[in-house]
Coordinates of all heavy atoms in Angstrom, one line a residue:
P1 N -7.7 11.0 13.9 CA -8.6 11.6 12.8 C -8.5 10.6 11.7 O -7.7 9.8 11.5 CB -7.7 12.8 12.4 CG -6.3 12.6 13.0 CD -6.4 11.7 14.1
S2 N -9.8 10.7 11.0 CA -9.8 9.7 9.8 C -9.1 10.1 8.6 O -8.9 11.3 8.5 CB -11.4 9.5 9.6 OG -11.9 10.8 9.2
P3 N -8.8 9.1 7.8 CA -8.0 9.5 6.5 C -8.9 10.4 5.7 O -10.0 10.4 5.7 CB -7.7 8.1 5.9 CG -7.9 7.2 6.9 CD -8.8 7.8 8.0
P4 N -8.2 11.3 5.0 CA -8.9 12.4 4.3 C -9.6 11.9 3.0 O -10.5 12.4 2.5 CB -7.9 13.5 3.8 CG -6.5 12.7 3.9 CD -6.8 11.6 5.0
H5 N -9.1 10.8 2.4 CA -9.7 10.2 1.2 C -10.4 8.9 1.6 O -9.9 8.1 2.3 CB -8.5 9.9 0.2 CG -9.0 9.5 -1.1 ND1 -9.5 8.3 -1.4 CD2 -9.1 10.2 -2.3 CE1 -9.8 8.1 -2.6 NE2 -9.7 9.4 -3.2
P6 N -11.8 8.8 1.1 CA -12.5 7.7 1.4 C -11.9 6.3 1.2 O -11.9 5.4 2.0 CB -13.7 7.7 0.6 CG -13.7 9.1 -0.1 CD -12.3 9.6 0.1
G7 N -11.2 6.1 0.0 CA -10.5 4.8 -0.3 C -9.2 4.6 0.6 O -8.9 3.4 0.7
L8 N -8.8 5.6 1.3 CA -7.6 5.5 2.0 C -7.8 4.7 3.3 O -7.0 3.9 3.6 CB -7.0 6.7 2.4 CG -5.5 6.8 3.1 CD1 -4.6 6.1 2.1 CD2 -5.1 8.3 3.3
Q9 N -9.1 4.6 3.8 CA -9.4 3.9 5.1 C -9.4 2.4 4.7 O -8.8 1.6 5.4 CB -10.8 4.2 5.6 CG -11.2 3.5 6.8 CD -10.2 3.7 8.0 OE1 -9.9 4.7 8.3 NE2 -9.6 2.5 8.4
Q10 N -9.8 2.0 3.5 CA -9.8 0.5 3.1 C -8.3 0.2 2.8 O -7.9 -0.9 3.4 CB -10.6 0.4 1.7 CG -12.0 0.3 2.0 CD -12.7 -0.1 0.6 OE1 -12.2 0.3 -0.5 NE2 -13.7 -1.0 0.7
L11 N -7.5 1.0 2.4 CA -6.1 0.8 2.1 C -5.4 0.6 3.4 O -4.6 -0.3 3.7 CB -5.5 1.9 1.3 CG -4.0 1.7 1.0 CD1 -3.7 0.5 0.1 CD2 -3.5 2.9 0.2
A12 N -5.8 1.5 4.3 CA -5.1 1.4 5.8 C -5.4 0.0 6.3 O -4.6 -0.5 6.9 CB -5.6 2.7 6.5
T13 N -6.7 -0.3 6.2 CA -7.2 -1.6 6.7 C -6.4 -2.7 6.3 O -5.9 -3.7 6.9 CB -8.7 -1.7 6.8 OG1 -9.3 -0.7 7.4 CG2 -9.2 -3.1 7.3
F14 N -6.2 -2.7 4.9 CA -5.5 -3.7 4.1 C -4.0 -3.8 4.6 O -3.5 -4.8 4.9 CB -5.6 -3.3 2.6 CG -4.8 -4.5 1.7 CD1 -5.5 -5.6 1.5 CD2 -3.6 -4.2 1.3 CE1 -4.8 -6.5 0.7 CE2 -3.0 -5.1 0.4 CZ -3.6 -6.3 0.1
L15 N -3.4 -2.7 4.6 CA -2.0 -2.5 5.1 C -1.9 -3.0 6.6 O -0.9 -3.7 6.9 CB -1.5 -1.2 5.1 CG -1.3 -0.6 3.6 CD1 -0.9 0.8 3.6 CD2 -0.3 -1.5 2.8
E16 N -2.8 -2.7 7.3 CA -2.8 -3.1 8.9 C -2.7 -4.7 9.0 O -2.3 -5.2 9.9 CB -3.9 -2.5 9.6 CG -3.9 -2.8 11.0 CD -5.0 -2.0 11.8 OE1 -5.7 -1.2 11.1 OE2 -5.2 -2.5 13.0
A17 N -3.5 -5.3 8.0 CA -3.6 -6.8 8.0 C -2.3 -7.4 7.8 O -2.1 -8.6 8.2 CB -4.7 -7.3 7.0
F18 N -1.4 -6.7 7.2 CA -0.1 -7.2 6.9 C 1.0 -6.5 8.0 O 2.2 -6.8 7.8 CB 0.4 -7.0 5.5 CG -0.4 -7.7 4.5 CD1 -1.5 -7.1 3.9 CD2 -0.1 -9.1 4.3 CE1 -2.2 -7.8 3.0 CE2 -0.9 -9.8 3.4 CZ -2.0 -9.2 2.8
G19 N 0.5 -5.8 8.9 CA 1.4 -5.2 9.9 C 2.1 -4.1 9.3 O 3.2 -3.5 9.8
L20 N 1.6 -3.4 8.2 CA 2.3 -2.3 7.6 C 1.6 -0.9 7.7 O 1.8 -0.1 7.0 CB 2.4 -2.7 6.0 CG 3.1 -3.9 5.7 CD1 3.1 -4.2 4.2 CD2 4.4 -3.8 6.2
Q21 N 0.8 -0.9 8.8 CA 0.0 0.4 9.0 C 0.9 1.7 9.0 O 0.4 2.8 8.8 CB -1.0 0.3 10.2 CG -0.2 0.0 11.4 CD 0.0 -1.4 11.8 OE1 -0.2 -2.2 11.0 NE2 0.2 -1.7 13.0
R22 N 2.3 1.5 9.5 CA 3.2 2.6 9.6 C 3.4 3.3 8.2 O 3.9 4.4 8.3 CB 4.4 2.1 10.3 CG 5.3 1.2 9.4 CD 6.5 0.7 10.2 NE 7.2 -0.4 9.5 CZ 6.9 -1.5 9.4 NH1 5.7 -2.1 9.9 NH2 7.6 -2.4 8.8
H23 N 3.0 2.6 7.2 CA 3.4 3.1 5.8 C 2.1 3.8 5.2 O 2.2 4.3 4.2 CB 3.8 2.0 4.9 CG 5.1 1.3 5.3 ND1 6.3 1.9 5.1 CD2 5.3 0.1 5.8 CE1 7.3 1.0 5.6 NE2 6.6 0.0 5.9
V24 N 1.0 3.9 5.9 CA -0.2 4.6 5.4 C 0.1 6.0 4.9 O -0.3 6.4 3.8 CB -1.3 4.5 6.3 CG1 -2.5 5.3 5.9 CG2 -1.8 3.1 6.6
R25 N 0.7 6.7 5.7 CA 1.1 8.2 5.5 C 2.0 8.2 4.1 O 1.6 9.1 3.4 CB 1.7 8.7 6.5 CG 2.0 10.3 6.2 CD 2.7 10.9 7.4 NE 1.6 11.2 8.3 CZ 1.8 11.6 9.6 NH1 3.0 11.9 10.0 NH2 0.7 11.8 10.3
R26 N 2.9 7.3 4.0 CA 3.7 7.3 2.8 C 2.8 7.0 1.6 O 3.0 7.6 0.5 CB 4.9 6.3 3.0 CG 5.8 6.4 1.8 CD 6.6 7.7 1.8 NE 7.6 7.5 0.8 CZ 7.9 8.5 -0.1 NH1 7.3 9.8 -0.1 NH2 8.7 8.4 -1.1
F27 N 1.9 6.0 1.7 CA 1.0 5.8 0.5 C 0.3 7.1 0.1 O 0.2 7.3 -1.0 CB 0.2 4.6 0.8 CG 0.8 3.4 0.6 CD1 1.9 2.9 1.5 CD2 0.4 2.5 -0.5 CE1 2.3 1.6 1.2 CE2 0.9 1.3 -0.8 CZ 1.9 0.8 0.2
A28 N -0.3 7.7 1.1 CA -1.0 9.0 0.8 C -0.1 10.0 0.2 O -0.6 10.7 -0.8 CB -1.7 9.6 2.2
E29 N 1.0 10.3 0.8 CA 2.0 11.3 0.2 C 2.2 10.9 -1.4 O 2.4 11.9 -2.1 CB 3.3 11.3 0.9 CG 3.0 11.8 2.4 CD 4.4 11.5 3.2 OE1 5.3 10.8 2.7 OE2 4.4 12.0 4.4
E30 N 2.2 9.6 -1.7 CA 2.5 9.2 -3.0 C 1.2 9.2 -3.9 O 1.2 8.7 -5.0 CB 3.2 7.8 -3.1 CG 4.6 7.8 -2.5 CD 5.6 8.7 -3.3 OE1 5.5 8.7 -4.5 OE2 6.6 9.1 -2.7
E31 N 0.1 9.6 -3.3 CA -1.2 9.7 -3.9 C -1.7 8.3 -4.3 O -2.4 8.1 -5.3 CB -1.3 10.7 -5.1 CG -1.0 12.0 -4.6 CD -1.0 13.0 -5.7 OE1 -1.7 12.8 -6.8 OE2 -0.7 14.1 -5.5
I32 N -1.3 7.3 -3.5 CA -1.8 5.9 -3.7 C -2.9 5.8 -2.5 O -2.8 5.9 -1.4 CB -0.8 4.8 -3.4 CG1 0.3 5.0 -4.4 CG2 -1.4 3.4 -3.4 CD1 1.6 4.4 -4.0
L33 N -4.2 6.1 -3.1 CA -5.3 6.3 -2.1 C -6.4 5.3 -2.1 O -7.3 5.4 -1.4 CB -6.0 7.7 -2.5 CG -5.0 8.9 -2.5 CD1 -5.6 10.1 -3.2 CD2 -4.4 9.2 -1.3
S34 N -6.2 4.1 -2.7 CA -7.1 3.2 -2.7 C -6.6 1.8 -3.1 O -5.3 1.7 -3.6 CB -8.4 3.4 -3.6 OG -8.0 3.2 -5.0
L35 N -7.3 0.7 -2.7 CA -6.8 -0.6 -3.0 C -6.7 -0.8 -4.6 O -5.8 -1.6 -5.1 CB -7.7 -1.7 -2.5 CG -7.9 -1.8 -0.9 CD1 -8.9 -2.8 -0.6 CD2 -6.4 -2.3 -0.5
R36 N -7.3 -0.1 -5.4 CA -7.3 -0.2 -6.8 C -6.0 0.3 -7.4 O -5.6 -0.2 -8.5 CB -8.4 0.6 -7.4 CG -9.8 0.0 -7.3 CD -10.8 0.9 -8.0 NE -10.9 2.0 -7.0 CZ -11.7 3.0 -7.2 NH1 -12.6 3.1 -8.3 NH2 -11.7 4.2 -6.4
D37 N -5.3 1.0 -6.6 CA -3.9 1.4 -6.9 C -2.8 0.4 -6.9 O -1.9 0.4 -7.4 CB -3.5 2.7 -6.2 CG -4.4 4.0 -6.5 OD1 -5.0 4.0 -7.7 OD2 -4.7 4.8 -5.6
L38 N -3.0 -0.5 -5.9 CA -2.0 -1.4 -5.6 C -1.5 -2.4 -6.7 O -0.3 -2.6 -6.8 CB -2.4 -2.3 -4.3 CG -2.5 -1.7 -3.0 CD1 -2.8 -2.9 -1.9 CD2 -1.1 -1.2 -2.7
P39 N -2.4 -2.9 -7.4 CA -1.9 -3.7 -8.6 C -0.9 -3.1 -9.5 O -0.3 -3.7 -10.3 CB -3.2 -4.3 -9.2 CG -4.3 -4.2 -8.1 CD -3.8 -2.9 -7.4
H40 N -0.9 -1.7 -9.6 CA -0.2 -1.0 -10.4 C 1.2 -0.7 -10.0 O 2.1 -0.2 -10.7 CB -0.7 0.4 -10.9 CG -2.2 0.1 -11.5 ND1 -2.4 -0.4 -12.7 CD2 -3.4 0.3 -10.9 CE1 -3.7 -0.5 -13.0 NE2 -4.3 -0.1 -11.9
L41 N 1.5 -1.1 -8.8 CA 2.8 -0.8 -8.1 C 3.7 -2.1 -8.3 O 3.3 -3.2 -8.1 CB 2.6 -0.6 -6.6 CG 1.7 0.7 -6.3 CD1 1.6 0.8 -4.8 CD2 2.5 1.8 -6.8
T42 N 5.0 -1.7 -8.6 CA 5.9 -2.9 -8.7 C 6.7 -3.0 -7.3 O 6.7 -2.2 -6.4 CB 7.0 -2.6 -9.7 OG1 7.8 -1.4 -9.4 CG2 6.2 -2.2 -11.1
L43 N 7.4 -4.1 -7.4 CA 8.2 -4.2 -6.1 C 9.3 -3.1 -5.9 O 9.4 -2.6 -4.8 CB 9.1 -5.6 -6.4 CG 9.7 -6.4 -5.2 CD1 8.7 -6.6 -4.1 CD2 10.4 -7.5 -5.7
D44 N 9.9 -2.6 -7.0 CA 10.7 -1.5 -7.0 C 10.0 -0.2 -6.4 O 10.6 0.4 -5.6 CB 11.5 -1.2 -8.2 CG 12.4 -2.3 -8.6 OD1 12.9 -3.0 -7.7 OD2 12.7 -2.5 -9.8
D45 N 8.8 -0.1 -6.9 CA 8.0 1.1 -6.5 C 7.9 1.1 -5.0 O 8.2 2.2 -4.2 CB 6.6 1.2 -7.0 CG 6.6 1.4 -8.6 OD1 7.5 2.0 -9.0 OD2 5.6 1.0 -9.2
L46 N 7.6 0.0 -4.4 CA 7.2 -0.1 -2.9 C 8.5 0.0 -2.2 O 8.5 0.5 -1.1 CB 6.6 -1.5 -2.6 CG 5.2 -1.6 -3.3 CD1 4.6 -2.9 -3.1 CD2 4.2 -0.6 -2.5
V47 N 9.7 -0.6 -2.7 CA 11.0 -0.5 -2.0 C 11.3 0.9 -2.0 O 11.9 1.5 -1.0 CB 11.9 -1.5 -2.5 CG1 13.3 -1.3 -2.1 CG2 11.6 -2.9 -2.2
D48 N 11.1 1.6 -3.1 CA 11.6 3.0 -3.2 C 10.6 4.0 -2.2 O 11.2 4.9 -1.7 CB 11.3 3.6 -4.6 CG 12.4 3.1 -5.5 OD1 13.4 2.5 -5.1 OD2 12.1 3.2 -6.8
M49 N 9.5 3.4 -2.0 CA 8.7 4.2 -1.0 C 9.0 4.0 0.5 O 8.5 4.4 1.4 CB 7.2 3.8 -1.1 CG 6.6 4.3 -2.3 SD 4.9 3.7 -2.7 CE 4.1 3.9 -1.1
G50 N 10.0 2.9 0.7 CA 10.6 2.8 2.1 C 10.1 1.4 2.7 O 10.5 1.2 3.7
L51 N 9.4 0.5 1.9 CA 9.1 -0.8 2.4 C 10.2 -1.7 2.3 O 11.1 -1.4 1.4 CB 7.9 -1.4 1.7 CG 6.5 -0.9 2.1 CD1 6.2 0.4 1.7 CD2 5.5 -1.9 1.6
S52 N 10.4 -2.5 3.2 CA 11.6 -3.6 3.0 C 11.2 -4.5 1.8 O 10.0 -4.6 1.4 CB 11.6 -4.4 4.3 OG 10.5 -5.3 4.3
F53 N 12.2 -5.2 1.3 CA 12.0 -6.0 0.1 C 10.8 -7.1 0.5 O 9.8 -7.3 -0.3 CB 13.2 -6.7 -0.2 CG 13.1 -7.8 -1.4 CD1 13.0 -7.2 -2.7 CD2 12.9 -9.1 -1.3 CE1 13.0 -8.1 -3.9 CE2 12.5 -9.9 -2.3 CZ 12.6 -9.4 -3.6
A54 N 11.0 -7.7 1.8 CA 10.0 -8.7 2.2 C 8.7 -8.1 2.2 O 7.7 -8.8 1.9 CB 10.4 -9.4 3.4
E55 N 8.4 -6.9 2.8 CA 7.1 -6.3 3.0 C 6.6 -5.9 1.5 O 5.4 -6.1 1.2 CB 7.3 -4.9 3.5 CG 7.5 -5.0 5.1 CD 7.9 -3.8 5.8 OE1 8.3 -2.7 4.9 OE2 7.8 -3.6 7.0
A56 N 7.4 -5.5 0.6 CA 6.9 -5.1 -0.7 C 6.6 -6.4 -1.5 O 5.5 -6.4 -2.2 CB 8.2 -4.5 -1.5
D57 N 7.3 -7.4 -1.3 CA 6.9 -8.7 -1.9 C 5.6 -9.3 -1.5 O 4.8 -9.8 -2.2 CB 8.1 -9.7 -1.7 CG 7.9 -10.9 -2.5 OD1 7.7 -11.0 -3.7 OD2 8.0 -12.1 -2.0
T58 N 5.5 -9.1 -0.1 CA 4.1 -9.6 0.4 C 3.0 -8.8 -0.2 O 1.8 -9.4 -0.6 CB 4.0 -9.5 1.9 OG1 5.0 -10.2 2.5 CG2 2.7 -9.7 2.5
L59 N 3.1 -7.5 -0.4 CA 2.0 -6.7 -0.8 C 1.9 -6.8 -2.3 O 0.7 -6.9 -2.8 CB 2.3 -5.2 -0.7 CG 2.0 -4.7 0.7 CD1 2.2 -3.1 0.7 CD2 0.6 -5.0 1.2
V60 N 2.9 -7.1 -3.1 CA 2.7 -7.3 -4.6 C 2.0 -8.8 -4.6 O 1.1 -8.7 -5.5 CB 4.2 -7.4 -5.3 CG1 4.1 -8.0 -6.7 CG2 4.7 -6.0 -5.4
S61 N 2.3 -9.6 -4.0 CA 1.7 -11.1 -4.0 C 0.2 -10.8 -3.6 O -0.7 -11.4 -4.4 CB 2.3 -11.9 -3.1 OG 3.6 -12.3 -3.6
A62 N -0.1 -10.1 -2.7 CA -1.6 -9.9 -2.1 C -2.3 -9.0 -3.2 O -3.5 -9.4 -3.6 CB -1.5 -9.1 -1.0
A63 N -1.6 -8.1 -3.8 CA -2.4 -7.2 -5.0 C -2.7 -8.2 -6.0 O -3.7 -8.1 -6.7 CB -1.5 -6.1 -5.2
R64 N -1.7 -9.0 -6.5 CA -2.0 -10.0 -7.6 C -3.3 -10.8 -7.3 O -4.1 -11.1 -8.2 CB -0.9 -10.9 -7.8 CG 0.3 -10.2 -8.7 CD 1.3 -11.2 -9.1 NE 2.5 -10.4 -9.5 CZ 3.7 -10.7 -8.9 NH1 3.9 -11.7 -8.1 NH2 4.7 -10.1 -9.3
E65 N -3.3 -11.2 -6.2 CA -4.4 -12.1 -5.8 C -5.8 -11.4 -5.8 O -6.9 -12.0 -5.9 CB -4.2 -12.7 -4.3 CG -3.1 -13.7 -4.4 CD -3.2 -14.7 -3.2 OE1 -4.0 -14.8 -2.4 OE2 -2.0 -15.3 -3.1
M66 N -5.8 -10.0 -5.6 CA -7.1 -9.3 -5.6 C -7.5 -9.1 -7.2 O -8.7 -8.8 -7.3 CB -6.8 -7.8 -5.1 CG -6.5 -7.9 -3.7 SD -6.5 -6.2 -2.9 CE -5.5 -5.2 -4.0
L67 N -6.8 -9.3 -8.1 CA -7.1 -9.2 -9.3 C -8.1 -10.3 -9.9 O -8.1 -11.4 -9.4 CB -6.0 -9.2 -10.4 CG -5.1 -7.9 -10.2 CD1 -3.8 -8.1 -11.2 CD2 -5.8 -6.8 -10.6

């Protein structure tokens, strides 16, 4: 089934590019529903959501580059 929020598909594709597709549901549960939300997340936020430190660091760096 497709994700319920339109921006979530882009976010899912982005996460998949880093091998993090298993976290898509957690992002949705936390109401992080689009790529625009990523730059507002801190390393600690992502670790608290269940990502490893290395995964979180990768996403924070990628989000900074999107700005």
Side-chain angles (χ1 to χ4, degrees):
S2 62
H5 188 279
L8 192 56
Q9 182 58 54
Q10 282 185 320
L11 179 61
T13 300
F14 181 80
L15 292 173
E16 185 175 348
F18 294 97
L20 301 174
Q21 59 273 13
R22 68 187 174 283
H23 295 291
V24 172
R25 178 174 289 169
R26 184 68 175 138
F27 276 72
E29 289 169 356
E30 294 292 333
E31 298 184 14
I32 300 160
L33 301 174
S34 77
L35 290 174
R36 288 176 294 184
D37 297 327
L38 283 184
H40 303 287
L41 298 172
T42 67
L43 195 60
D44 288 337
D45 292 334
L46 294 167
V47 170
D48 288 347
M49 288 173 52
L51 279 73
S52 71
F53 182 85
E55 292 170 335
D57 189 51
T58 297
L59 279 187
V60 167
S61 295
R64 280 192 199 122
E65 291 191 18
M66 289 190 316
L67 294 178

